[in-house]
Amino acid sequence: MCGIVAYIGPREAYPVILKGLKRLEYRGYDSSGVALLNDELRVYKKKGKVAELEDSLVGKDLHAHAGMGHTRWATHGEPNDRNAHPHSSASGRLAMIHNGIIENYTQLKQELMRKGYVFKSDTDTEVLLNFIEDIQQNNQCGLEEAVRIALKRVVGAYVIVLLDRDTPDTLIAARKGSPLVIGIGKGEHFLASDASPIIEYTKEVVYVNDYELAILKSDELILKNLGNDKITPFIQKLDMEMAAIEKGGYEHFMLKEIFEQPATIFDCLRGRLDVVKGTITMAGIQQHIEKLSTAKRIIMIGCGTSWHAGLVAEYVFEELCRIPVEVEYASEFRYRNPVVHPGDVIIAISQSGETADTIVAIEKAKENGAFILGVVNVVGSSIARISNAGAYTHAGPEIGVASTKAFTAQLAVLTMIALKIAKERGSIDTTRYMHLLNELHSVPEKVKEVLKLNGAIQKLAEKYKEAKDALYLGRGYNFAVALEGALKLKEISYIHAEGYPAAEMKHGPIALVDEALPVVFVATRDSYHEKIVSNIQEVKARKGKIVAVISEGDTIIESMADDCMVIPEADELIAPMLSVIPLQLLAYYSGVAKGYDVDKPRNLAKSVTVE
Ligand code: F6R
């Protein structure tokens, strides 16, 4: 949510920043801007996508060796030029970019207004910037000290980066709650919200922690805490290649990421699952296996698609491990005074590892003594670091705003964790255990089969693109897949879609069914099959259009449905990793058919770092 990038060193800063902003645009695209510093501090900003900023800067003086850029997902103040970042201080000497929310900004703003400050924007960022400048003027101190003093008063989440016209050889950045990575080059430094703008130049990075301040010159990096003590930077090597952040010939990242799923699920299983030996190797889980297998209760927390992965996992864990599982929206969990006991296990699921709602929920659960297991995609992200243990999903960078490959990788990891715990508890017999290991092993090949539906689903999307609403129904393991299918459709094609447990339909949503309503059934062959066939009959009797995801050879539903997407047979516990894929494609092609920017759907951002 908001992307930031900055550079200091011998290169021209603007091209580095511009390229970085394009890579970070998935984090928000309401407006963008750059600040460039040589002898003077120049700030350029524009409502809309980065390309619009780029066009507006043709012919401008962009020469600088230090600079920063921002791509915005609006929180305070509507998306327009005025509210775009960077912001300039009252004196014009400082410029700042910010990712996050300053919760006590109203109070700070009032204090500053009483002192005569006038604000040019509606943002919390401009308030914080002038608060910093005011401290500097009152205390006659350097920028670094003013930032430290200011941040002690700030409530909220932030990454900020500041440029000072009077010290063109220095960038100052600080973090609490939002992500910040420093890239260390030879005689140059990069700063960004994630590693994608950095990877082209260096693989050596430092992940800045909460309450840390970075003072960067071309050839020097100083990290400090807010108490002014120096901290030794922990330099890590990035395990990522450039190809992972490029479209690789696909028209959109979303399509590329859908098609990557055979490989991403394979990568997720690789080195862990051994069907010959009958083992699952996950060091982060093995180390804590006693705590996990003796837990009285497991609570899955997450948001959006990650929450849906938790819902599937609830069924898997309860079935295999016989431990009670609850699944909570992270945002609700945090603020409803949840009952959490020491010994409870919280499984926090997140693609980005930076979702603010999930982070605060983890903090709350930790306070109450729970054990936190992170299932995260982005290596080194905040959630990965604040969890007591974890397992990465290894899906690689997910850039399309709608989550696809991260979901199937989350399911693969959660299934492996459940199998490990079940084995330890003795709640699964060897035949079933070995069967599920083999089923998991076959998922990447089966996903390849599912992807062959691509062309047919494109036609299906054309057929239904004018629908105003859609209903997605599933039962059992496929219930959460129905929710996920509906979420994908609404966020990408803006068609209103609802997901429901199929049997719940008759308790209300059936009132919506008429000949104009497509009803998508996720109805692979499982223990609920007969029941869902009845639900399909109920819709058919009311002339709803039936679109169904079914297993090979299911002639019963095939004869009832208007359109079918046929996928390979799989154990019901594994089936969601396959059944979700046609729904991802359906959403993708519906968005494309309607002419929308599917990688950057309106009002959304990839990494939701505000509560
Ligand atoms: C939907 C989507 C979002 C995210 C949600 C959580 O396609 O991408 O619903 O799943 O914002 O994000 P993470 O998994 O990064 O915590």
Side-chain angles (χ1 to χ4, degrees):
M1 187 144 278
C2 297
I4 59 142
V5 57
Y7 174 79
I8 189 157
R11 296 173 203 260
E12 280 295 337
Y14 175 69
V16 174
I17 292 166
L18 186 72
K19 211 187 254 186
L21 285 179
K22 287 181 179 168
R23 296 218 173 109
L24 290 174
E25 211 173 4
Y26 71 87
R27 300 178 66 89
Y29 27 83
D30 288 330
S31 63
S32 62
V34 293
L36 300 166
L37 178 59
N38 255 3
D39 300 331
E40 50 170 345
L41 182 57
R42 282 151 296 156
V43 173
Y44 305 107
K45 45 197 198 174
K46 188 109 196 98
K47 180 181 172 198
K49 296 191 172 145
V50 176
E52 289 170 54
L53 174 76
E54 187 180 10
D55 289 346
S56 73
L57 295 188
V58 173
K60 292 260 185 333
D61 173 17
L62 302 170
H63 172 61
H65 293 291
M68 60 191 183
H70 185 274
T71 174
R72 177 169 187 246
W73 186 84
T75 57
H76 295 62
E78 65 175 88
N80 56 26
D81 292 356
R82 216 164 46 82
N83 289 329
H85 299 216
H87 290 280
S88 306
S89 63
S91 73
R93 194 171 50 78
L94 305 178
M96 186 169 98
I97 51 175
H98 169 215
N99 167 26
I101 285 188
I102 307 302
E103 285 170 16
N104 58 339
Y105 91 105
T106 317
Q107 192 192 339
L108 299 176
K109 189 169 185 174
Q110 279 162 0
E111 281 176 30
L112 291 169
M113 282 166 75
R114 278 197 291 274
K115 290 183 173 184
Y117 280 85
V118 177
F119 292 90
K120 300 182 281 269
S121 76
D122 311 311
T123 64
D124 50 348
T125 308
E126 193 192 2
V127 173
L128 176 57
L129 176 60
N130 281 316
F131 184 55
I132 293 169
E133 180 160 83
D134 190 59
I135 292 172
Q136 205 183 357
Q137 281 165 2
N138 291 342
N139 295 22
Q140 293 293 307
C141 61
L143 180 59
E144 183 194 324
E145 195 182 334
V147 169
R148 239 188 339 264
I149 297 170
L151 293 183
K152 285 185 189 154
R153 280 233 18 224
V154 159
V155 179
Y158 54 80
V159 158
I160 53 170
V161 186
L162 289 117
L163 280 171
D164 180 347
R165 195 179 55 204
D166 296 344
T167 51
D169 63 340
T170 310
L171 273 170
I172 294 190
R175 154 192 172 140
K176 194 223 143 189
S178 299
L180 178 62
V181 191
I182 298 173
I184 303 173
K186 287 195 173 58
E188 59 184 351
H189 284 107
F190 305 82
L191 270 173
S193 302
D194 71 27
S196 60
I198 295 175
I199 177 132
E200 188 174 342
Y201 310 102
T202 175
K203 287 204 164 181
E204 297 212 322
V205 294
V206 172
Y207 291 95
V208 179
N209 290 311
D210 280 352
Y211 304 108
E212 285 180 359
L213 206 73
I215 302 107
L216 290 153
K217 295 183 191 300
S218 309
D219 51 3
E220 187 183 45
L221 158 63
I222 298 175
L223 266 191
K224 289 185 177 177
N225 61 23
L226 293 188
N228 201 23
D229 307 310
K230 279 198 179 170
I231 299 164
T232 310
F234 174 51
I235 301 174
Q236 302 187 41
K237 271 243 163 329
L238 276 179
D239 181 21
M240 190 199 281
E241 296 304 328
M242 273 298 289
I245 57 167
E246 286 169 348
K247 281 194 200 147
Y250 286 91
E251 202 181 328
H252 297 102
F253 280 110
M254 183 174 173
L255 190 62
K256 177 191 175 218
E257 286 158 7
I258 292 172
F259 269 83
E260 275 176 347
Q261 288 177 105
T264 51
I265 299 171
F266 180 81
D267 285 345
C268 175
L269 303 175
R270 187 175 48 180
R272 290 170 163 168
L273 190 75
D274 189 328
V275 281
V276 179
K277 291 196 197 130
T279 53
I280 295 171
T281 309
M282 298 174 101
I285 307 300
Q286 191 58 43
Q287 233 182 333
H288 302 279
I289 195 73
E290 196 180 327
K291 198 178 280 285
L292 297 171
S293 58
T294 55
K296 295 268 176 300
R297 184 169 71 139
I298 295 175
I299 306 172
M300 312 261 175
I301 55 171
C303 302
T305 293
S306 295
W307 182 76
H308 294 155
L311 282 180
V312 177
E314 174 185 20
Y315 286 52
V316 175
F317 273 70
E318 290 202 339
E319 170 70 23
L320 299 181
C321 312
R322 310 308 297 154
I323 300 174
V325 178
E326 287 162 32
V327 189
E328 301 263 6
Y329 283 116
S331 54
E332 287 298 315
F333 177 80
R334 167 62 184 88
Y335 290 103
R336 66 168 178 76
N337 196 10
V339 180
V340 180
H341 300 296
D344 282 347
V345 168
I346 306 284
I347 302 190
I349 309 166
S350 176
Q351 187 286 127
S352 61
E354 302 294 350
T355 300
D357 287 323
T358 311
I359 292 174
V360 292
I362 291 172
E363 282 161 358
K364 178 75 181 171
K366 264 186 152 177
E367 276 168 27
N368 295 1
F371 181 82
I372 316 293
L373 186 72
V375 172
V376 173
N377 192 36
V378 177
V379 176
S381 57
S382 301
I383 294 176
R385 286 184 294 150
I386 61 175
S387 298
N388 300 104
Y392 282 117
T393 46
H394 296 312
E398 192 180 65
I399 292 167
V401 164
S403 192
T404 53
K405 63 176 180 172
F407 178 72
T408 46
Q410 286 166 345
L411 295 185
V413 165
L414 288 162
T415 308
M416 284 191 285
I417 297 173
L419 281 164
K420 267 190 91 64
I421 296 176
K423 188 92 191 325
E424 182 71 18
R425 283 170 67 85
S427 54
I428 186 168
D429 66 48
T430 309
T431 316
R432 178 96 175 113
Y433 176 79
M434 284 308 295
H435 169 70
L436 286 174
L437 251 54
N438 278 294
E439 280 286 290
L440 258 180
H441 180 70
S442 66
V443 170
E445 282 307 311
K446 288 182 181 170
V447 172
K448 282 187 194 160
E449 288 302 308
V450 180
L451 289 170
K452 291 183 183 159
L453 294 171
N454 185 47
I457 294 177
Q458 185 169 10
K459 290 193 188 114
L460 207 59
E462 273 296 330
K463 177 170 169 186
Y464 290 106
K465 72 176 182 192
E466 299 306 338
K468 294 275 171 288
D469 303 279
L471 205 53
Y472 280 67
L473 303 174
R475 298 182 80 128
Y477 294 96
N478 277 326
F479 150 51
V481 175
L483 298 190
E484 175 61 7
L487 175 65
K488 286 290 92 96
L489 189 75
K490 65 186 140 197
E491 67 182 329
I492 296 302
S493 72
Y494 316 147
I495 295 172
H496 168 247
E498 295 287 343
Y500 262 92
E504 272 294 303
M505 174 191 64
K506 57 187 176 293
H507 299 287
I510 198 163
L512 297 171
V513 177
D514 62 16
E515 58 280 2
L517 184 79
V519 183
V520 180
F521 279 92
V522 194
T524 52
R525 200 176 286 110
D526 56 21
S527 37
Y528 310 83
H529 192 254
E530 271 178 29
K531 299 279 178 204
I532 207 160
V533 168
S534 306
N535 301 138
I536 294 174
Q537 293 285 17
E538 288 153 15
V539 172
K540 204 171 164 60
R542 286 156 185 89
K543 300 194 166 42
K545 294 277 171 296
I546 292 158
V547 180
V549 178
I550 58 170
S551 306
E552 274 164 355
D554 184 346
T555 48
I556 299 175
I557 299 184
E558 203 164 21
S559 66
M560 294 159 66
D562 294 273
D563 295 283
C564 280
M565 296 173 268
V566 184
I567 65 171
E569 185 87 45
D571 188 286
E572 62 182 0
L573 204 137
I574 304 292
M577 282 178 247
L578 307 176
S579 57
V580 74
I581 289 168
L583 306 185
Q584 296 170 344
L585 286 168
L586 187 60
Y588 170 78
Y589 282 116
S590 302
V592 170
K594 299 185 85 173
Y596 297 138
D597 184 348
V598 291
D599 279 341
K600 299 188 195 88
R602 71 181 175 213
N603 302 338
L604 286 170
K606 182 76 185 155
S607 186
V608 186
T609 54
V610 294
E611 280 181 67

